[in-house]
């Protein structure tokens, strides 16, 4: 991924951002594969260097992870399109269109979790994150209704070994340009324009 210095996100930026984004794509490749397997998935992140998730046992990603226990978890958010005529005040006809977005890519070591008790921990962690206060019976309980489902899934523990973080929000633009683009985003009011605007103003 190309990251210009003005788009780079440091630990203080990407960690809290990732804690607020819990859906991404797990990308795994194996030897001799024509293309990697890409799995959209929810996950939980401990805020430091560990990610947990679970997938159905028939998922085609397992042979690749068993063969080569490395994967990339990529997360994208707050993306929006910036039309060409927003990017220049002098001559809108020669402006260059672009995209604003945030993304974090985690390169990870993979540990597959098949022990029932550990799988229950993965599920309980996800229930605690996605259904806080729901009163859902912990999966590890003897009488838990979900306990019978454990054989149908496998867990994954990802240990982050390196991170690429990009927050592309006009960091190379002049203050005048950023103010003009901010006004355009606010006026357009598209689905993710307000979130992109917040990033643009925060990073100005």
């Amino acid at each position: 991924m190309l990251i210009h210095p003005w788009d780079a996100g440091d630990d203080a930026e990407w960690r809290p951002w990732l804690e607020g984004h819990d859906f991404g794509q797990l990308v795994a490749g194996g030897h001799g594969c024509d293309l990697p397997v890409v799995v959209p998935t929810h996950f939980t992140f401990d805020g430091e260097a560990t990610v947990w998730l679970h997938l159905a046992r028939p998922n085609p990603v397992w042979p690749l992870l068993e063969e080569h226990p490395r994967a990339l978890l990529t997360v994208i958010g707050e993306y929006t399109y910036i039309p060409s005529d927003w990017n220049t005040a002098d001559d809108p006809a020669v402006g260059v269109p672009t995209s604003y977005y945030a993304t974090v890519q985690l390169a990870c070591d993979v540990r597959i979790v098949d022990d029932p008790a550990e799988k229950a921990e993965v599920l309980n962690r996800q229930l605690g994150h996605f259904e806080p206060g729901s009163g859902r019976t912990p999966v590890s309980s003897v009488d838990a209704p979900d306990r019978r489902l454990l054989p149908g899934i496998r867990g994954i523990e990802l240990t982050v070994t390196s991170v690429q973080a990009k927050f592309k929000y006009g960091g190379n633009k002049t203050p005048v340009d950023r103010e003009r683009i901010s006004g355009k985003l606010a006026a357009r009011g598209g689905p993710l324009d307000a979130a992109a605007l917040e990033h643009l103003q925060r990073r100005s």
Side-chain angles (χ1 to χ4, degrees), residues 6-91:
W6 53 84
D7 296 332
D10 59 15
D11 282 5
E13 187 169 21
W14 75 257
R15 288 185 188 279
W17 182 88
L18 189 61
E19 289 180 21
H21 294 73
D22 49 27
F23 189 86
Q25 292 184 311
L26 184 70
V27 183
H31 300 299
C33 287
D34 179 36
L35 294 170
V37 171
V38 181
V39 184
T41 181
H42 277 102
F43 61 87
T44 53
F45 172 56
D46 72 349
E48 294 295 329
T50 309
V51 174
W52 296 272
L53 59 108
H54 74 276
L55 301 170
R57 190 169 288 275
N59 198 292
V61 78
W62 299 119
L64 278 67
L65 295 179
E66 289 168 343
E67 176 188 357
H68 183 60
R70 292 278 292 164
L72 184 73
L73 181 65
T74 179
V75 185
I76 299 172
E78 295 86 61
Y79 58 86
T80 195
Y81 181 77
I82 304 299
S84 55
D85 61 355
W86 290 16
N87 262 325
T88 176
D90 298 329
D91 184 0

Side-chain angles (χ1 to χ4, degrees), residues 16-179:
W17 182 88
L18 189 61
E19 289 180 21
H21 294 73
D22 49 27
F23 189 86
Q25 292 184 311
L26 184 70
V27 183
H31 300 299
C33 287
D34 179 36
L35 294 170
V37 171
V38 181
V39 184
T41 181
H42 277 102
F43 61 87
T44 53
F45 172 56
D46 72 349
E48 294 295 329
T50 309
V51 174
W52 296 272
L53 59 108
H54 74 276
L55 301 170
R57 190 169 288 275
N59 198 292
V61 78
W62 299 119
L64 278 67
L65 295 179
E66 289 168 343
E67 176 188 357
H68 183 60
R70 292 278 292 164
L72 184 73
L73 181 65
T74 179
V75 185
I76 299 172
E78 295 86 61
Y79 58 86
T80 195
Y81 181 77
I82 304 299
S84 55
D85 61 355
W86 290 16
N87 262 325
T88 176
D90 298 329
D91 184 0
V94 299
V96 177
T98 192
S99 301
Y100 284 178
Y101 60 88
T103 185
V104 172
Q105 296 183 353
L106 308 175
C108 303
D109 289 333
V110 175
R111 185 175 73 89
I112 297 174
V113 179
D114 280 324
D115 177 75
E118 282 196 88
K119 285 194 289 186
E121 288 179 10
V122 171
L123 289 178
N124 286 336
R125 188 177 287 109
Q126 290 189 292
L127 287 171
H129 174 75
F130 292 105
E131 301 184 33
S134 67
R136 181 84 176 254
T137 304
V139 175
S140 57
S141 296
V142 174
D143 59 348
D146 288 339
R147 194 167 179 79
R148 62 183 177 80
L149 302 177
L150 287 179
I153 66 168
R154 304 179 81 184
I156 297 177
E157 181 181 87
L158 301 174
T159 300
V160 179
T161 58
S162 65
V163 178
Q164 288 191 304
K166 182 173 182 176
F167 293 83
K168 185 176 182 287
Y169 294 101
N172 59 330
K173 297 294 183 181
T174 67
V176 172
D177 288 333
R178 290 196 294 271
E179 183 177 356

Side-chain angles (χ1 to χ4, degrees), residues 171-195:
N172 59 330
K173 297 294 183 181
T174 67
V176 172
D177 288 333
R178 290 196 294 271
E179 183 177 356
R180 181 183 65 255
I181 295 170
S182 292
K184 297 284 190 180
L185 283 169
R188 184 172 67 182
L192 296 177
D193 285 347

